[in-house]
């Protein structure tokens, strides 16, 4: 709530709020046509050159705004809008929107100065209708809405206040009151909608994240994998690395679940260091993890990645005053079909993982099973420490 109040929004919330601007496409077209109709009528009756210039400028800015809205909606439907794209879209929309509001405000104010009183009613209806449309359509982007309301309405208020007719002065006061009340309602609606949207995205993110490690869970893994396959990755090769820690259960049994959880979080942190670009790191449950490697060139690149994962995960972990070294096994598969299927790839990688674990267990006894150590090698103890041997991983070093 404090982040929203200060103007800082989560990326997903911000993108959705900016995307709400695309819902103003039809009202924008209608408003543009009404402005054109009113402008042509005013110019035809008064032959006023200032009004003619303002009408031309309003039509041009309307065309730009409509183009931005329709092109932005196409990008939104294609799923091509991220935070950076949303910033650009909002900036361009804001410029065109406020420019039109300025032109409309000047046009209505100019019309109120012309002698034809019948046009004053038309101009007043136009600006009130525009203000109502702004409050309804752009409330979720309050800076755009408030700026547009001010520059569209205040010129008319100023012109009406300097009229000698009390009815015009009363109209100016009423219009200013409507403007103030409308902006207050607009800001309240924005705060309510922004908090609701942020909460919804927060709950959705929790449902797609592993609560312990913060990595993707099975649901997010499936969704992101499917999205990769529909965003131009069909022609690129995808590899799956299926990995688990060697005999992780003794860690929980001997050292307790808090230490086991801390170890899993540390493993997740190292996996994050290995992903790049569109790669995905996920926890399937227990001590089982998956890394999706994208844009792969050949099998050697995948094998090298698997070796790095095994080597880096076998490096010592400093947890709660202990130094834990635990092995990790990785099974991988590479798919370059046009439409890779995640379940099939996971099964192939899991089969490869079982073979890899059997291979590691068959290594000569007396040496470490973790990658990065030669057969028969033994890590040196830390001076003043007690070495406790546990099955399933290399060494636990606990300070004496």
């Amino acid at each position: 709530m404090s982040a929203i109040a200060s103007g800082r929004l989560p990326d997903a919330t911000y993108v959705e709020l900016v995307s709400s601007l695309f819902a103003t496409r039809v009202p924008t077209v209608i408003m543009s046509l009404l402005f054109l109709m009113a402008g042509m009528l005013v110019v035809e009756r008064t032959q006023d050159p200032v009004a003619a210039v303002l009408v031309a400028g309003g039509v041009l800015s309307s065309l730009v705004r409509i183009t931005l809205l329709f092109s932005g909606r196409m990008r939104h439907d294609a799923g091509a809008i991220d935070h950076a794209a949303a910033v650009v879209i909002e900036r361009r929309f804001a410029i065109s929107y406020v420019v039109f509001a300025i032109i409309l405000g000047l046009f209505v104010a100019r019309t109120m100065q012309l002698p034809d009183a019948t046009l004053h009613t038309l101009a007043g209806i136009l600006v009130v209708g525009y203000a109502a449309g702004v409050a309804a359509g752009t409330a979720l982007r309050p800076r755009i809405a408030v700026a547009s309301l001010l520059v569209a309405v205040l010129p008319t208020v100023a012109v009406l206040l300097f009229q000698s007719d009390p009815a015009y002065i009363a109209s100016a006061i009423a219009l200013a009151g409507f403007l103030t009340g409308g902006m207050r309602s607009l800001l309240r609606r924005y705060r309510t909608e922004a908090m609701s949207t942020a909460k919804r995205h927060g709950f959705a993110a929790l449902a797609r994240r592993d609560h312990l490690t913060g990595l993707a869970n099975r649901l997010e893994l499936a969704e992101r994998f499917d999205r990769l396959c529909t965003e131009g990755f069909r022609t690129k090769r995808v590899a799956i690395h299926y990995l688990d820690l060697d005999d992780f259960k003794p860690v929980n049994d001997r050292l307790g679940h808090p230490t086991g959880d801390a170890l899993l979080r540390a493993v997740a942190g190292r996996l994050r260091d290995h992903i790049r670009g569109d790669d995905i790191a996920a926890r399937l449950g227990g001590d089982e993890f998956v890394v999706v490697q994208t844009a792969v060139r050949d099998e050697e690149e995948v094998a090298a990645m698997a070796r790095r994962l095994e080597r880096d995960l076998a490096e010592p972990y400093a947890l709660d005053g202990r130094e834990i070294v635990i092995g990790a096994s990785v099974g991988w598969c590479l798919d370059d079909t046009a439409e890779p299927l995640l379940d099939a790839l996971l099964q192939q990688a899991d089969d490869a993982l079982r073979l890899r674990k059997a291979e590691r267990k068959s290594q000569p006894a007396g040496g470490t099973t973790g990658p990065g150590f030669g057969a028969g090698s033994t890590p040196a103890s830390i001076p003043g420490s007690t070495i406790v041997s546990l099955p399933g991983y290399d060494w636990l070093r606990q300070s004496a």
Side-chain angles (χ1 to χ4, degrees), residues 160-215:
L160 292 176
L161 283 175
F162 285 97
Q163 299 293 325
S164 58
D165 190 333
Y168 281 94
I169 297 175
S171 297
I173 295 173
L175 195 56
F178 291 148
L179 175 62
T180 302
M183 288 192 299
R184 286 172 58 89
S185 298
L186 181 151
L187 292 174
R188 282 199 299 268
R189 180 190 169 195
Y190 164 70
R191 285 192 288 267
T192 301
E193 292 288 342
M195 286 189 288
S196 175
T197 302
K199 288 180 181 178
R200 176 161 46 81
H201 281 289
F203 289 136
L206 288 175
R208 288 165 171 76
R209 287 283 164 177
D210 175 63
H211 71 283
L212 178 63
T213 64
L215 297 179

Side-chain angles (χ1 to χ4, degrees), residues 251 254-256 259 316-325 380-390 393-400:
V251 177
R254 300 288 185 88
L255 304 179
T259 299
Y317 297 87
L319 301 172
D320 300 327
R322 302 181 179 95
E323 189 174 72
I324 300 175
V325 182
S381 64
I382 299 175
S385 301
T386 301
I387 301 176
V388 182
S389 177
L390 292 176
Y393 60 93
D394 300 323
W395 300 97
L396 166 68
R397 301 168 184 166
Q398 184 172 2
S399 299

